[in-house]
Amino acid sequence: MEISGFNSKTSFLFWLCAFLHIYALVSTEPSCKLKAKFNLLGYKNVTMKKVVIGGMFPVHNRVSSTQSNTSSVPLSTACEGFNFRAFRWTQTMLFAIDEINKRSDLLPNTELGYVIYDSCFTISKSVEGTLTYLTGQDEAVPNYRCGTGAPLAALVGAGGSDLSIATARILGLYHFPQVSYSSSCTALENTFQFPTFLRTIPSDSHQSDAMARLVLHFGWGWVGTIAADDDYGKYGIKAFKEQVEEAGVCISFSETLPKVSTPEVTQRIVETVVKSTAKIIVVFSSDVDLSPLIQELLRHNVTNRTWIASEAWVTSALINQPGVSSVLGGTLGFGIRRAEIPDLERHLLDIDPYDDTLTEEFWGTAFNCTLDIKQALKLARERAGELGTNGTLSRAVRGVPDGLCTGREPLLKLNNTYTDVSQLRLTYSVYKAVYAVAHALHDMEYCEPGKGPFVGKSCAEITNFEPWQLMYYLKHVHYTVNHTGESIFFTEGNVEGYYEIINWQVKGDGVISYEPIGQYNGTEPPNARMTINNNSIVWNNEESEPPRSVCSESCQPGTRKGIRQGEPVCCFDCIPCADGEISNTTNARECIQCTEDYWSNAVRDTCVPKIIEFLAFDEPLGITLIAISAFGALITIAVGVVFLIYLRTPLVQANDPLLSFTLLLSLVVTFLCSIVFLGEPQEWNCMTSQVALALGFALCLSSLMGKSVVLMQRARVLKAARNKVKAAAKAAKEAAAAAAAVTVDHAGPDVIISNTNANNNNDGGGGGAKETADVDPLTPGHQRAMAGVATLIQAVACTVWLIILPPRPVKNLSTQNIKIILECDEGSIVFICCIFGYDILLALVAFAFAFVARKLEDHFSEGKCVTFGMLVFFIVWISFVPAYLSTRGKFMVAVQIFAILASSFGLLACVFLPKCYVLLVKPERNTPEMMRPHSKPRDGTSTGTSTSLATTATMVDATAVIHD
């Protein structure tokens, strides 16, 4: 009994403890709790599969807008905006996996499964899909792989570059391979940040380079840029701008397309495009982001622009909608490699609309119906309610709803992107990405033990491998696409940069076709990477010539760029080069200064030799001056001949004939020295012209001075004689009055007269000779000595001048810019001033002497002639100074020659013309009697000349005898 009781107690306690333990386990909350469940759409087939490949495609364009409400449990947002193009990519992955599973040469013993999610073209959905894929179940658990199914191989995706960047950061944490088919952003080249990222689409570093080369190829210097507000647009347009700006291209405007389009932003971008003068617009954007802008451009009818398209939208049917030809006709763009995929079209047309949710949505969107009977009935009721008749409603409910799909609609008749297999570019990239993963798995599966790449030369098991092990094989994969022959391999995760250059050409029916016009191959040398057939391009508005897009037209040779303040360097003014400067290239930044012997031509694009100017003998002005000079010299010589013929006549003998001949000789010298000023200046004529002029005028003026000083002395004597005559006449008058009184008383006037006559007879001859000697204290010898000494002083000064600082020929480059004036440099301004100042001094002295003697009057007054001659001399040379200073070049020499000739003619005419007139026209006046003084009409007093001074002296003596 006790034993049985003990056993029963023990059993009771055991079961009590067990119950309490189980209750504790059930009632206690777990330490880990699922925080959210993602709402993801896609395809999944992992049952009985050896390896699973992941995929991510933007089947929808965006997530549905939801209100931010924190009062209820937040739900994962749904997606909207079905993308037929991305759905075709999804089907291509399914087709490729199915094709691989059927092949016997590629993974023959491995059945591939797949898990494909819709990224909705948003980062959040891409992250949700990535976490869910890594977890292996619908509920994402970070850092955990739940379940014991087939290993995950790699992720093919995730669409746009910003989506791939987000997923690559997560996958890189677990060293999980990612092969992208459309993420071309250059940021993904960073293997440090994205160590497991690979792609089958070229990097945008090639595309940016290709766009820049295209712009430079056509010489477009003024472009606008539009980029999507994501990593794809920002990085791509940034690389493009850096390259073209380095080459001198300017950016007219830079606009950003928002991820969520708003009418205000779109309108602002359209206004920017319309206001800009740039005719070339480069767009780095996806078709989804660009589509609202294109619609707004169509609404505003913005034409006459050439668009440069990136590969993301260059062949997009979302952009190439009916009616866009007026805006986008002539677009140039870059498309990745295109290929045909056998049997893909059949696969696309054979899909079952009831297989999954995504296919159902595709079918309903494509045919504008629904496969859900409940949804169809709901729509029927709504339409019947709008009609307002219950009868119609009941018939609609009882019958088949109008909006219900049959599931047998013909896909072949669809005219949309999904069924269009003519431009398989990104689709081909998806195909290559799937095959790259398959070939890597194949290489891993058939690794020979002992020759593997891992530790100990081991191999990985196809049914149990780590992601980093597959990553090794992906990096080293190298295969050839069967139907295209393209070799696929990765270099630092990238493939070679190859693009086809596409031109949007409008056909006769208004449909745009994609015509290849060239290609870009990044593996070629830089100068051979791009080839374009310019003749095959159809530009916007069907123009045959490339459009011009410049802020300012090119500055032609002869001008330079003038930068406008506050504007890009491509906006400039073309400023003509200054005189003496040229530019011989287009768009010259600076003008080039011509050398001193050259000058710019009329258009200022070439330096031409300057015109060499001097007063030549053979030009009309030179010939005229030579003729005048020769005429003057001949006239002077003729005057000398006349004087020589009449040498013994009283007029010639009146004032030293030799001095007259010396004066004529000096005038011949001055006339002829003016000819030496003509011709090209050389050392001999520079020295001869100035020295001959100085000496000629010195001899001329000193001769006049010698004549004038004698005339002055005679004038002074005559003045004294006049005073004596007046005194004697007064005394004679008084004596005559006294004598008259005596005669009346003594009758003796005859004695007085007899005495007077006696005095005249006895004293007249001897007294006249004596007084003549007293009147001319300066003999002809004195006159000649004065002229000789004055000329000798000038000759000595000229000799010193020629020895120390002689005149020399120089090139005057400063007076006139376009001419080189050959002239004589006087050597020293001091010497030239002293020498010609001496001539002026002689002229002033001669004028002073002649002015004093100007009242010596008879039938020929030499004092007045010299005075007028000197006045003419002064007037000419005073007028010469301003005329000389106001002229330039050879006309300065002409003015100087005119002054020489005018002054020489003035002296010749004033001094010798009256004498020649008497000698040749009035010879009756050339007698001693005509040289004597004559009475003035008013008071009977007389003045005299040099020839009558002796007679005057005799009269003074007779008067003195009478007075005695």
Side-chain angles (χ1 to χ4, degrees), residues 182 192 326 329 529 536 598 814 959:
S182 65
F192 179 78
S326 61
R529 289 179 181 175
S536 62
Y598 288 81
S814 59
T959 306

Side-chain angles (χ1 to χ4, degrees), residues 163-185:
L163 310 184
S164 290
I165 288 175
T167 58
R169 293 189 186 279
I170 298 174
L171 295 174
L173 296 175
Y174 306 106
H175 306 283
F176 199 94
Q178 177 182 358
V179 183
S180 176
Y181 53 87
S182 65
S183 302
S184 56
C185 179

